[in-house]
Structures are given as structure tokens and as C-alpha cells.
Amino acid sequence: MAKVLLGMSGGVDSSTAAALLMRAGHEVIGATLVMHDIHEKDAAAAKDVADAIGIPHHTVDMREDFESFVLSPFVSEYENGRTPNPCVICNGYIKFPGLIRLADRLGCEYIATGHYCDILHDGDTHYLLKAKDQNKDQTYFLNQLSQAQLDKVLFPLGKLDKSEVRRIAEKNGLATAEKKDSTGICFIGERNFRNFLQNYIPNKKGKIMTYDGKVLGEHLGLMYYTIGQRRGLGIGGQAGDDGSRWFVIEKDLKNKILELTKNEEYEEIVKILTEISNNSSNEYLYFIS
């Protein structure tokens, strides 16, 4: 069996991954990468789990790299009217490289995480596979991992449903068996997203308008909206409104205008969103090329 370095967050998923790896006969070492101050509690919780199941645990401070490669670009993207996905960048350029470096220092043959993802190692080619639990599948968030990074990766939860993971955790007496799932962006946590962004970007109010110039209301800042959004627009009922949904179709940064359209223009919406997606798909990755 192999020596495996397992990324641990102190939650039920990574805890169960540890139990499964140990049951398979592997020598498991736990590791928590602290990306932000909010992760210090995760590191403490992960160490408690590691102590309880009898494996060593390491904490690695990655805050400086995280600030440079994830947090700063994340804020910059919002300032420029785009909606980034920091988890994709973090996994490919911070988390997995950090785990691999530590694994090399500790003489581990593999790294593992509690992601809901599966993997196929076919010679020198490695394929990410969707998890059995489609509601929890996280392959998208791992799409920037290179072949070299995937070479020695294990995903113990890939063939399990979340309910099975909790049952295994309970059967193994893990204190995390009933722990609530974390949601949203990990470095924001339970904090209000708008309040978080306000620490970095000042509110710039502007008009909410239809693309043909009708004023519908006022927004607090374009950074709080994303193309295609149809909930939480804050415009309430409009006179003569037929009840159909409004969609965000454009964010005019120069004039601070949030443009909306209704779902009867669905084909036009799809066309515009497709063009935007095609044009911006690589914009968030400019700093890693």
C-alpha cells in the first residue's frame, strides 16, 4: 500500500476520505493549507479529526500566494464587471501544487482530497470523471489541473453519494458525521458577500434600465450582479408588468448602467450570453498564462 497525503478541511468529506484510505491499507498523513485567516479554524478542526483517527497532521500557511494569485485577481475581476470563479484558480495554482510540494517533502507517493470527483489513470494520461453524486460533482472546479498534477491524485469519494459518505463517517465514529456542509466561497464563509466586497471595492450606484432605455430602478453597484442573473434584482413590481422574468443582459461600467431584458427575448438572450461567454472565457485566466 502507499503513503498518501490527504488535504483536510475538518469537514465530513475529507474525514471520510481519511477513513476510506486507511481502510484500504494506506499510510495517511493529513494536511491543511491555510489560504485566508478564516481557514485557521478549519486547520484546528482538521487537526482534531486527525488526532482522533490517529494520523499525523500538518498545517501550511499559503496566505501570501493566495493573496497574489487568487484574492487580488478575484477583486479585480469584479471591479471590471466580470464574475470570476476563484475555486478553479485556487485548485490549479495554489491548493494542488501546495499539496504536491508537501507530499514530496514527506515522501508521499500520492495526494488525495475529499472532492466529489473520480479519476481514470490510463498510462501517462489522466482523465477527470464525474462523481457518482451528480448533485455534488466538483469536476468543474478541478478543470485547470495539469496532467502532471493529476498523475498521483486519489479521489476516495468519487464513487459515493453524499448520504453514503455520512453513513461511513457515522459507522467509523467520526465527529464530523453530522457536520453541516460548507457552501459558497470558502474564504468568505458565512459572511455577507456584499459586505465582503465593500472592503475592497466602493459602491458605485447607477441606473437599472432596459436595453431600450426605460429606467426600472437603481442598483448599489454593478459588482453585485452577473450576466444572466434573474433573481435578487431589486426592482420589484413594475407598472404594466406582465409577470415574466427579468434577466441581466449587460453591465455598462462606463455609465454604471445595469441592463435588463425579459424572457420573451429568450433567443436574443441566449445569443448575447453565448457571445459574452466565448469572448470572456479566457479573460479570467490572463494572469496564469
Side-chain angles (χ1 to χ4, degrees), residues 13 23 31 61 64 89 95-96 113 117 120 126 131 138 140 143 151 188 197-198 208 213 230 253 256:
D13 295 329
R23 188 169 71 184
D61 194 325
E64 186 175 341
I89 304 303
K95 185 176 293 182
F96 278 76
T113 71
C117 173
L120 171 64
H126 315 286
Q138 294 173 303
Y140 173 78
N143 72 70
D151 183 32
I188 295 178
L197 275 186
Q198 285 174 9
I208 301 176
R230 62 180 184 174
L253 270 67
K256 295 181 287 188

Side-chain angles (χ1 to χ4, degrees), residues 8 40 59 82 129 178 235 256:
M8 299 183 70
E40 291 181 347
T59 299
R82 295 184 286 265
L129 306 177
E178 300 298 326
I235 57 174
K256 295 181 287 188

Side-chain angles (χ1 to χ4, degrees), residues 10-276:
V12 64
D13 295 329
S14 58
S15 302
T16 303
L20 291 170
L21 290 168
M22 293 172 69
R23 188 169 71 184
H26 297 300
E27 178 185 351
V28 181
I29 299 174
T32 304
L33 307 183
V34 177
M35 312 289 189
H36 192 275
D37 293 347
I38 198 171
H39 296 142
E40 291 181 347
K41 290 183 178 179
D42 294 339
K47 187 178 187 311
D48 287 343
V49 172
D51 289 344
I53 61 179
I55 63 173
H57 178 268
H58 296 262
T59 299
V60 182
D61 194 325
M62 302 287 291
R63 278 174 276 208
E64 186 175 341
D65 286 345
F66 184 82
E67 170 76 29
S68 298
F69 293 101
V70 179
L71 184 55
S72 292
F74 172 82
V75 172
S76 177
E77 287 296 285
Y78 272 103
E79 281 186 304
N80 286 287
R82 295 184 286 265
T83 305
N85 189 318
C87 300
V88 172
I89 304 303
C90 183
N91 281 322
Y93 296 88
I94 304 294
K95 185 176 293 182
F96 278 76
L99 288 173
I100 290 169
R101 287 194 297 270
L102 180 58
D104 288 343
R105 290 203 302 270
L106 297 175
C108 295
E109 300 162 69
Y110 292 92
I111 67 168
T113 71
H115 282 98
Y116 283 85
C117 173
D118 206 352
I119 191 164
L120 171 64
H121 297 291
D122 184 10
D124 293 330
T125 306
H126 315 286
Y127 300 93
L128 283 176
L129 306 177
K130 286 188 175 182
K132 176 184 176 182
D133 192 331
Q134 292 293 290
N135 291 323
K136 291 291 184 180
D137 182 74
Q138 294 173 303
T139 49
Y140 173 78
F141 300 103
L142 303 174
N143 72 70
Q144 290 297 304
L145 297 187
S146 68
Q147 286 291 296
Q149 291 169 336
L150 290 172
D151 183 32
K152 299 295 183 181
V153 173
L154 303 174
F155 295 116
L157 307 187
K159 294 179 172 61
L160 298 173
D161 289 322
K162 182 72 179 199
S163 58
E164 295 177 276
V165 169
R166 290 199 179 276
R167 282 198 297 272
I168 293 170
E170 184 176 7
K171 184 177 180 180
N172 283 270
L174 299 176
T176 56
E178 300 298 326
K179 189 172 182 178
K180 181 181 176 182
D181 287 346
S182 59
T183 58
I185 300 172
C186 72
F187 57 89
I188 295 178
E190 300 299 323
R191 290 175 291 179
N192 180 277
F193 181 69
R194 290 191 176 187
N195 291 342
F196 175 84
L197 275 186
Q198 285 174 9
N199 292 325
Y200 300 92
I201 309 171
N203 285 338
K204 296 180 180 179
K205 296 181 180 181
K207 294 178 181 178
I208 301 176
M209 304 177 66
T210 63
Y211 66 90
D212 57 358
K214 178 184 176 182
V215 177
L216 301 174
E218 184 181 66
H219 64 78
L220 293 177
L222 294 176
M223 59 187 175
Y224 300 129
Y225 303 88
T226 190
I227 301 298
Q229 181 177 333
R230 62 180 184 174
R231 296 180 184 274
L233 300 177
I235 57 174
Q238 298 289 322
D241 199 335
D242 61 5
S244 55
R245 285 269 179 89
W246 291 96
F247 293 81
V248 175
I249 197 72
E250 183 62 89
K251 298 195 287 187
D252 182 345
L253 270 67
K254 181 179 178 181
N255 298 302
K256 295 181 287 188
I257 294 173
L258 182 70
E259 294 185 13
L260 308 184
T261 192
K262 303 199 81 171
N263 58 10
E264 59 259 31
E265 292 97 16
Y266 180 74
E267 291 184 3
E268 184 65 18
I269 291 171
V270 171
K271 178 182 176 182
I272 293 173
L273 292 181
T274 300
E275 290 176 355
I276 290 171

